[in-house]
Short mmCIF file of all heavy atoms in Angstrom, two decimals:
data_model
loop_
_atom_site.label_atom_id
_atom_site.label_comp_id
_atom_site.label_asym_id
_atom_site.label_seq_id
_atom_site.Cartn_x
_atom_site.Cartn_y
_atom_site.Cartn_z
N LYS A 96 96.38 82.41 147.79
CA LYS A 96 97.67 81.91 148.28
C LYS A 96 97.51 80.71 149.21
O LYS A 96 98.48 80.22 149.78
CB LYS A 96 98.42 83.02 149.01
CG LYS A 96 98.82 84.18 148.09
CD LYS A 96 99.64 85.22 148.84
CE LYS A 96 100.10 86.33 147.90
NZ LYS A 96 100.93 87.33 148.61
N LEU A 97 96.29 80.25 149.35
CA LEU A 97 96.01 79.13 150.25
C LEU A 97 96.24 77.79 149.56
O LEU A 97 95.89 77.63 148.39
CB LEU A 97 94.56 79.21 150.72
CG LEU A 97 94.05 78.08 151.61
CD1 LEU A 97 94.73 78.10 152.97
CD2 LEU A 97 92.52 78.17 151.76
N THR A 98 96.85 76.84 150.26
CA THR A 98 96.89 75.44 149.80
C THR A 98 96.39 74.57 150.95
O THR A 98 96.67 74.85 152.12
CB THR A 98 98.30 74.99 149.39
OG1 THR A 98 99.13 74.93 150.56
CG2 THR A 98 98.92 75.93 148.38
N LEU A 99 95.64 73.53 150.59
CA LEU A 99 95.14 72.58 151.58
C LEU A 99 95.49 71.17 151.13
O LEU A 99 95.35 70.85 149.94
CB LEU A 99 93.63 72.71 151.75
CG LEU A 99 93.10 74.04 152.31
CD1 LEU A 99 91.58 74.03 152.38
CD2 LEU A 99 93.70 74.35 153.67
N THR A 100 95.92 70.34 152.07
CA THR A 100 96.30 68.96 151.75
C THR A 100 95.40 67.99 152.51
O THR A 100 95.16 68.15 153.72
CB THR A 100 97.77 68.71 152.12
OG1 THR A 100 98.61 69.57 151.33
CG2 THR A 100 98.17 67.26 151.84
N TYR A 101 94.90 67.00 151.77
CA TYR A 101 94.00 65.99 152.33
C TYR A 101 94.66 64.62 152.23
O TYR A 101 95.40 64.34 151.28
CB TYR A 101 92.68 65.96 151.54
CG TYR A 101 91.92 67.25 151.58
CD1 TYR A 101 92.23 68.31 150.72
CD2 TYR A 101 90.86 67.42 152.48
CE1 TYR A 101 91.52 69.50 150.76
CE2 TYR A 101 90.15 68.61 152.52
CZ TYR A 101 90.48 69.64 151.65
OH TYR A 101 89.78 70.82 151.69
N GLU A 102 94.36 63.75 153.17
CA GLU A 102 94.76 62.35 153.09
C GLU A 102 93.54 61.50 152.82
O GLU A 102 92.45 61.75 153.34
CB GLU A 102 95.42 61.91 154.41
CG GLU A 102 96.81 62.45 154.62
CD GLU A 102 97.49 61.84 155.84
OE1 GLU A 102 96.77 61.19 156.65
OE2 GLU A 102 98.71 62.00 156.00
N PHE A 103 93.70 60.48 151.97
CA PHE A 103 92.59 59.57 151.68
C PHE A 103 93.13 58.19 151.35
O PHE A 103 94.31 58.04 151.00
CB PHE A 103 91.73 60.11 150.54
CG PHE A 103 92.42 60.21 149.21
CD1 PHE A 103 92.28 59.23 148.24
CD2 PHE A 103 93.23 61.31 148.91
CE1 PHE A 103 92.91 59.32 147.02
CE2 PHE A 103 93.86 61.42 147.69
CZ PHE A 103 93.71 60.41 146.73
N ASN A 104 92.27 57.21 151.44
CA ASN A 104 92.67 55.82 151.23
C ASN A 104 91.95 55.25 150.02
O ASN A 104 90.74 55.46 149.85
CB ASN A 104 92.35 54.98 152.47
CG ASN A 104 92.93 53.58 152.36
OD1 ASN A 104 94.13 53.41 152.23
ND2 ASN A 104 92.06 52.57 152.41
N VAL A 105 92.68 54.53 149.18
CA VAL A 105 92.13 53.89 147.99
C VAL A 105 92.11 52.39 148.22
O VAL A 105 93.15 51.79 148.52
CB VAL A 105 92.96 54.24 146.74
CG1 VAL A 105 92.43 53.50 145.51
CG2 VAL A 105 92.97 55.74 146.50
N GLU A 106 90.95 51.77 148.09
CA GLU A 106 90.82 50.34 148.32
C GLU A 106 91.09 49.51 147.07
O GLU A 106 91.43 48.33 147.17
CB GLU A 106 89.41 50.01 148.84
CG GLU A 106 89.11 50.63 150.20
CD GLU A 106 87.73 50.27 150.70
OE1 GLU A 106 87.05 49.45 150.03
OE2 GLU A 106 87.33 50.78 151.75
N GLU A 107 90.94 50.12 145.89
CA GLU A 107 91.12 49.36 144.65
C GLU A 107 91.85 50.22 143.62
O GLU A 107 91.43 51.34 143.32
CB GLU A 107 89.76 48.93 144.11
CG GLU A 107 89.84 47.98 142.92
CD GLU A 107 88.49 47.50 142.46
OE1 GLU A 107 87.49 47.73 143.19
OE2 GLU A 107 88.42 46.90 141.37
N THR A 108 92.96 49.68 143.10
CA THR A 108 93.74 50.39 142.09
C THR A 108 92.91 50.59 140.83
O THR A 108 92.18 49.70 140.39
CB THR A 108 95.01 49.60 141.74
OG1 THR A 108 95.81 49.48 142.92
CG2 THR A 108 95.80 50.28 140.64
N GLY A 109 93.04 51.77 140.22
CA GLY A 109 92.33 52.00 138.96
C GLY A 109 92.27 53.47 138.58
O GLY A 109 92.92 54.33 139.19
N LEU A 110 91.48 53.74 137.56
CA LEU A 110 91.25 55.09 137.07
C LEU A 110 89.96 55.64 137.66
O LEU A 110 88.94 54.94 137.70
CB LEU A 110 91.15 55.10 135.54
CG LEU A 110 92.45 54.86 134.75
CD1 LEU A 110 92.13 54.63 133.28
CD2 LEU A 110 93.40 56.05 134.91
N TYR A 111 90.03 56.88 138.11
CA TYR A 111 88.87 57.51 138.73
C TYR A 111 88.67 58.91 138.14
O TYR A 111 89.63 59.63 137.89
CB TYR A 111 89.07 57.66 140.24
CG TYR A 111 89.16 56.36 141.00
CD1 TYR A 111 90.36 55.65 141.08
CD2 TYR A 111 88.05 55.83 141.67
CE1 TYR A 111 90.45 54.46 141.79
CE2 TYR A 111 88.13 54.65 142.39
CZ TYR A 111 89.34 53.97 142.45
OH TYR A 111 89.44 52.79 143.16
N ASN A 112 87.40 59.28 137.95
CA ASN A 112 87.08 60.69 137.71
C ASN A 112 87.04 61.39 139.06
O ASN A 112 86.96 60.74 140.11
CB ASN A 112 85.72 60.83 137.03
CG ASN A 112 85.65 60.13 135.68
OD1 ASN A 112 84.72 59.36 135.44
ND2 ASN A 112 86.62 60.36 134.82
N LEU A 113 87.10 62.73 139.00
CA LEU A 113 87.05 63.51 140.25
C LEU A 113 85.91 64.52 140.13
O LEU A 113 85.89 65.35 139.23
CB LEU A 113 88.37 64.23 140.49
CG LEU A 113 88.43 65.14 141.73
CD1 LEU A 113 88.12 64.35 143.00
CD2 LEU A 113 89.78 65.81 141.84
N GLU A 114 84.97 64.41 141.05
CA GLU A 114 83.81 65.30 141.08
C GLU A 114 83.86 66.17 142.33
O GLU A 114 84.16 65.68 143.42
CB GLU A 114 82.54 64.46 141.08
CG GLU A 114 81.24 65.26 141.13
CD GLU A 114 80.03 64.35 141.16
OE1 GLU A 114 79.60 63.90 140.07
OE2 GLU A 114 79.54 64.04 142.27
N THR A 115 83.61 67.44 142.16
CA THR A 115 83.62 68.35 143.30
C THR A 115 82.28 69.06 143.42
O THR A 115 81.61 69.33 142.41
CB THR A 115 84.76 69.38 143.19
OG1 THR A 115 84.72 70.25 144.32
CG2 THR A 115 84.65 70.22 141.93
N ILE A 116 81.89 69.35 144.63
CA ILE A 116 80.67 70.10 144.92
C ILE A 116 81.11 71.41 145.56
O ILE A 116 81.78 71.42 146.59
CB ILE A 116 79.72 69.32 145.84
CG1 ILE A 116 79.23 68.04 145.14
CG2 ILE A 116 78.53 70.19 146.24
CD1 ILE A 116 78.38 67.15 146.02
N TYR A 117 80.73 72.52 144.94
CA TYR A 117 81.23 73.83 145.39
C TYR A 117 80.22 74.92 145.05
O TYR A 117 79.26 74.70 144.29
CB TYR A 117 82.57 74.14 144.72
CG TYR A 117 82.48 74.24 143.21
CD1 TYR A 117 82.37 75.48 142.59
CD2 TYR A 117 82.49 73.11 142.41
CE1 TYR A 117 82.27 75.58 141.21
CE2 TYR A 117 82.39 73.19 141.04
CZ TYR A 117 82.27 74.42 140.44
OH TYR A 117 82.16 74.52 139.08
N TYR A 118 80.46 76.07 145.60
CA TYR A 118 79.59 77.24 145.39
C TYR A 118 80.49 78.43 145.09
O TYR A 118 81.15 78.96 145.99
CB TYR A 118 78.77 77.51 146.66
CG TYR A 118 77.69 78.55 146.52
CD1 TYR A 118 76.35 78.18 146.46
CD2 TYR A 118 77.98 79.91 146.49
CE1 TYR A 118 75.34 79.12 146.37
CE2 TYR A 118 76.99 80.86 146.38
CZ TYR A 118 75.67 80.47 146.33
OH TYR A 118 74.67 81.42 146.22
N PRO A 119 80.58 78.86 143.83
CA PRO A 119 81.43 80.03 143.52
C PRO A 119 80.85 81.29 144.15
O PRO A 119 79.63 81.44 144.27
CB PRO A 119 81.38 80.11 141.99
CG PRO A 119 80.75 78.84 141.54
CD PRO A 119 79.90 78.35 142.65
N ILE A 120 81.73 82.18 144.54
CA ILE A 120 81.29 83.43 145.14
C ILE A 120 81.78 84.59 144.30
O ILE A 120 82.93 84.63 143.88
CB ILE A 120 81.82 83.57 146.58
CG1 ILE A 120 81.27 82.45 147.46
CG2 ILE A 120 81.43 84.92 147.17
CD1 ILE A 120 81.81 82.47 148.86
N GLU A 121 80.87 85.53 144.05
CA GLU A 121 81.24 86.72 143.30
C GLU A 121 80.69 87.92 144.02
O GLU A 121 80.46 87.87 145.22
CB GLU A 121 80.71 86.63 141.86
CG GLU A 121 81.68 87.17 140.81
CD GLU A 121 81.47 88.64 140.56
OE1 GLU A 121 80.34 89.12 140.66
OE2 GLU A 121 82.46 89.33 140.28
N GLY A 122 80.48 88.99 143.30
CA GLY A 122 79.93 90.19 143.90
C GLY A 122 80.94 90.89 144.78
O GLY A 122 82.12 91.01 144.45
N ASN A 123 80.51 91.35 145.94
CA ASN A 123 81.38 92.12 146.83
C ASN A 123 82.46 91.27 147.46
O ASN A 123 83.47 91.77 147.93
CB ASN A 123 80.54 92.77 147.94
CG ASN A 123 79.59 93.82 147.40
OD1 ASN A 123 79.89 94.45 146.39
ND2 ASN A 123 78.45 93.98 148.04
N GLU A 124 82.27 89.94 147.49
CA GLU A 124 83.22 89.09 148.19
C GLU A 124 84.39 88.65 147.32
O GLU A 124 85.40 88.19 147.82
CB GLU A 124 82.50 87.86 148.73
CG GLU A 124 81.53 88.17 149.86
CD GLU A 124 81.18 86.92 150.64
OE1 GLU A 124 82.04 86.42 151.37
OE2 GLU A 124 80.04 86.46 150.51
N SER A 125 84.25 88.72 146.01
CA SER A 125 85.32 88.21 145.15
C SER A 125 85.41 89.02 143.87
O SER A 125 84.40 89.42 143.31
CB SER A 125 85.06 86.74 144.80
OG SER A 125 85.95 86.29 143.80
N LYS A 126 86.63 89.23 143.40
CA LYS A 126 86.83 89.94 142.13
C LYS A 126 86.87 88.98 140.95
O LYS A 126 86.80 89.39 139.81
CB LYS A 126 88.15 90.72 142.18
CG LYS A 126 89.38 89.82 142.25
CD LYS A 126 90.67 90.63 142.24
CE LYS A 126 91.89 89.72 142.24
NZ LYS A 126 93.14 90.45 142.15
N ASN A 127 87.00 87.68 141.21
CA ASN A 127 87.26 86.73 140.14
C ASN A 127 85.99 86.37 139.38
O ASN A 127 84.96 86.07 139.97
CB ASN A 127 87.88 85.44 140.70
CG ASN A 127 89.29 85.66 141.18
OD1 ASN A 127 90.00 86.51 140.66
ND2 ASN A 127 89.70 84.92 142.19
N THR A 128 86.08 86.39 138.06
CA THR A 128 84.99 85.91 137.21
C THR A 128 85.21 84.45 136.83
O THR A 128 84.37 83.86 136.18
CB THR A 128 84.89 86.76 135.93
OG1 THR A 128 86.16 86.75 135.26
CG2 THR A 128 84.52 88.19 136.26
N VAL A 129 86.35 83.91 137.20
CA VAL A 129 86.62 82.49 136.98
C VAL A 129 87.06 81.88 138.30
O VAL A 129 87.40 82.59 139.24
CB VAL A 129 87.73 82.27 135.91
CG1 VAL A 129 87.27 82.74 134.56
CG2 VAL A 129 89.01 82.98 136.31
N LEU A 130 87.00 80.55 138.37
CA LEU A 130 87.40 79.86 139.58
C LEU A 130 88.40 78.78 139.18
O LEU A 130 88.02 77.79 138.55
CB LEU A 130 86.17 79.25 140.27
CG LEU A 130 86.28 78.95 141.77
CD1 LEU A 130 84.90 78.69 142.37
CD2 LEU A 130 87.18 77.78 142.08
N ASP A 131 89.67 78.99 139.50
CA ASP A 131 90.74 78.08 139.11
C ASP A 131 91.42 77.52 140.35
O ASP A 131 91.63 78.24 141.33
CB ASP A 131 91.80 78.80 138.26
CG ASP A 131 91.27 79.21 136.90
OD1 ASP A 131 90.15 78.83 136.58
OD2 ASP A 131 91.99 79.92 136.18
N ILE A 132 91.80 76.25 140.27
CA ILE A 132 92.58 75.63 141.33
C ILE A 132 93.69 74.79 140.70
O ILE A 132 93.59 74.36 139.55
CB ILE A 132 91.73 74.73 142.25
CG1 ILE A 132 91.07 73.60 141.43
CG2 ILE A 132 90.70 75.53 143.02
CD1 ILE A 132 90.40 72.55 142.29
N GLY A 133 94.75 74.56 141.47
CA GLY A 133 95.78 73.60 141.10
C GLY A 133 95.56 72.32 141.89
O GLY A 133 95.06 72.36 143.02
N LEU A 134 95.93 71.18 141.32
CA LEU A 134 95.66 69.89 141.95
C LEU A 134 96.90 69.00 141.89
O LEU A 134 97.42 68.72 140.81
CB LEU A 134 94.49 69.20 141.25
CG LEU A 134 94.17 67.77 141.68
CD1 LEU A 134 93.71 67.74 143.13
CD2 LEU A 134 93.11 67.17 140.77
N LYS A 135 97.37 68.57 143.05
CA LYS A 135 98.47 67.62 143.13
C LYS A 135 98.00 66.33 143.79
O LYS A 135 97.18 66.36 144.72
CB LYS A 135 99.63 68.19 143.95
CG LYS A 135 100.38 69.35 143.30
CD LYS A 135 101.52 69.82 144.19
CE LYS A 135 102.33 70.93 143.53
NZ LYS A 135 103.44 71.39 144.40
N ILE A 136 98.50 65.22 143.28
CA ILE A 136 98.28 63.93 143.90
C ILE A 136 99.63 63.44 144.41
O ILE A 136 100.59 63.37 143.63
CB ILE A 136 97.68 62.90 142.91
CG1 ILE A 136 96.35 63.42 142.35
CG2 ILE A 136 97.49 61.55 143.59
CD1 ILE A 136 95.23 63.54 143.36
N ASP A 137 99.70 63.16 145.69
CA ASP A 137 100.96 62.71 146.31
C ASP A 137 102.10 63.69 146.04
O ASP A 137 103.24 63.30 145.76
CB ASP A 137 101.33 61.31 145.83
CG ASP A 137 100.28 60.27 146.23
OD1 ASP A 137 99.68 60.43 147.30
OD2 ASP A 137 100.07 59.32 145.45
N GLY A 138 101.78 64.97 146.08
CA GLY A 138 102.79 66.02 145.97
C GLY A 138 103.23 66.37 144.57
O GLY A 138 104.09 67.23 144.40
N GLU A 139 102.64 65.73 143.55
CA GLU A 139 103.03 65.99 142.16
C GLU A 139 101.78 66.27 141.32
O GLU A 139 100.72 65.70 141.55
CB GLU A 139 103.78 64.79 141.56
CG GLU A 139 105.04 64.40 142.31
CD GLU A 139 106.17 65.38 142.07
OE1 GLU A 139 106.10 66.14 141.08
OE2 GLU A 139 107.12 65.40 142.88
N TYR A 140 101.97 67.15 140.33
CA TYR A 140 100.89 67.32 139.35
C TYR A 140 100.83 66.07 138.49
O TYR A 140 101.84 65.70 137.87
CB TYR A 140 101.13 68.53 138.46
CG TYR A 140 101.20 69.85 139.19
CD1 TYR A 140 102.41 70.54 139.29
CD2 TYR A 140 100.07 70.40 139.78
CE1 TYR A 140 102.47 71.76 139.95
CE2 TYR A 140 100.14 71.62 140.45
CZ TYR A 140 101.34 72.29 140.54
OH TYR A 140 101.41 73.49 141.20
N PRO A 141 99.70 65.40 138.39
CA PRO A 141 99.65 64.18 137.57
C PRO A 141 99.88 64.47 136.09
O PRO A 141 100.41 63.62 135.37
CB PRO A 141 98.25 63.63 137.84
CG PRO A 141 97.46 64.79 138.36
CD PRO A 141 98.43 65.66 139.08
N PHE A 142 99.48 65.63 135.63
CA PHE A 142 99.71 66.07 134.25
C PHE A 142 99.67 67.59 134.24
O PHE A 142 99.21 68.22 135.21
CB PHE A 142 98.68 65.47 133.28
CG PHE A 142 97.27 65.48 133.79
CD1 PHE A 142 96.46 66.58 133.62
CD2 PHE A 142 96.77 64.38 134.46
CE1 PHE A 142 95.16 66.60 134.11
CE2 PHE A 142 95.47 64.38 134.95
CZ PHE A 142 94.66 65.49 134.77
N THR A 143 100.18 68.18 133.17
CA THR A 143 100.37 69.64 133.12
C THR A 143 99.07 70.40 133.36
O THR A 143 99.06 71.41 134.08
CB THR A 143 100.96 70.06 131.76
OG1 THR A 143 102.19 69.35 131.55
CG2 THR A 143 101.24 71.55 131.72
N ALA A 144 97.97 69.94 132.78
CA ALA A 144 96.70 70.66 132.90
C ALA A 144 96.22 70.76 134.33
O ALA A 144 95.42 71.64 134.67
CB ALA A 144 95.64 69.99 132.03
N ALA A 145 96.71 69.86 135.21
CA ALA A 145 96.29 69.89 136.61
C ALA A 145 96.88 71.09 137.37
O ALA A 145 96.46 71.37 138.48
CB ALA A 145 96.68 68.59 137.31
N GLN A 146 97.84 71.77 136.76
CA GLN A 146 98.41 72.95 137.40
C GLN A 146 97.41 74.09 137.49
O GLN A 146 97.51 74.96 138.35
CB GLN A 146 99.65 73.42 136.64
CG GLN A 146 100.79 72.43 136.65
CD GLN A 146 101.97 72.92 135.81
OE1 GLN A 146 102.07 74.10 135.51
NE2 GLN A 146 102.85 72.02 135.44
N ASP A 147 96.44 74.09 136.57
CA ASP A 147 95.46 75.18 136.52
C ASP A 147 94.16 74.63 135.97
O ASP A 147 93.95 74.57 134.76
CB ASP A 147 95.98 76.32 135.66
CG ASP A 147 95.12 77.58 135.74
OD1 ASP A 147 94.01 77.49 136.27
OD2 ASP A 147 95.57 78.63 135.27
N ILE A 148 93.28 74.19 136.85
CA ILE A 148 92.01 73.60 136.46
C ILE A 148 90.91 74.64 136.66
O ILE A 148 90.77 75.22 137.74
CB ILE A 148 91.70 72.34 137.31
CG1 ILE A 148 92.71 71.23 136.98
CG2 ILE A 148 90.28 71.86 137.07
CD1 ILE A 148 92.62 70.04 137.89
N THR A 149 90.16 74.90 135.61
CA THR A 149 89.08 75.87 135.67
C THR A 149 87.77 75.17 135.97
O THR A 149 87.37 74.26 135.24
CB THR A 149 88.97 76.65 134.35
OG1 THR A 149 90.20 77.33 134.09
CG2 THR A 149 87.84 77.66 134.42
#
Side-chain angles (χ1 to χ4, degrees):
K96 295 184 177 181
L97 176 68
T98 68
L99 296 178
T100 298
Y101 299 82
E102 286 187 347
F103 64 98
N104 188 60
V105 177
E106 296 182 5
E107 188 176 349
T108 298
L110 288 169
Y111 295 83
N112 301 129
L113 178 58
E114 179 181 277
T115 180
I116 296 175
Y117 63 97
Y118 189 106
I120 298 177
E121 219 271 328
N123 294 330
E124 291 198 71
S125 170
K126 66 178 183 176
N127 290 330
T128 55
V129 294
L130 202 166
D131 292 354
I132 60 171
L134 174 65
K135 290 181 177 180
I136 302 294
D137 298 327
E139 301 287 341
Y140 299 111
F142 43 86
T143 303
Q146 296 177 18
D147 189 347
I148 293 171
T149 300

